[in-house]
Amino acid sequence: MSNPENNYDPAGSTQMFRAFVEEQPPAAQVQRAQGRSKAGLVIGVIVALVVIVGVVALAMK
């Protein structure tokens, strides 16, 4: 049963979604995201080391 007033095309929206998913971000955007990830990792390691040194210093008192 087809309703002539309803022109919804599920195949069309699926194709648009697939095109959106498959779209590659610009290389500069990828590099920025990777740089932030590495910076966050380095900062996290430094914070963890400071916390460990603090705990050891308190344990030695």
Side-chain angles (χ1 to χ4, degrees):
M1 234 169 121
S2 173
N3 186 354
E5 294 175 13
N6 186 2
N7 292 332
Y8 176 70
D9 180 16
S13 61
T14 302
Q15 290 172 346
M16 288 172 34
F17 176 74
R18 285 184 178 164
F20 170 75
V21 169
E22 293 172 357
E23 182 179 301
Q24 298 295 322
Q29 192 176 29
V30 171
Q31 288 175 347
R32 253 182 295 172
Q34 288 175 346
R36 282 190 295 240
S37 297
K38 290 178 185 175
L41 179 64
V42 169
I43 291 171
V45 168
I46 291 172
V47 169
L49 289 174
V50 168
V51 168
I52 291 170
V53 168
V55 168
V56 169
L58 288 174
M60 301 292 273
K61 285 187 176 182

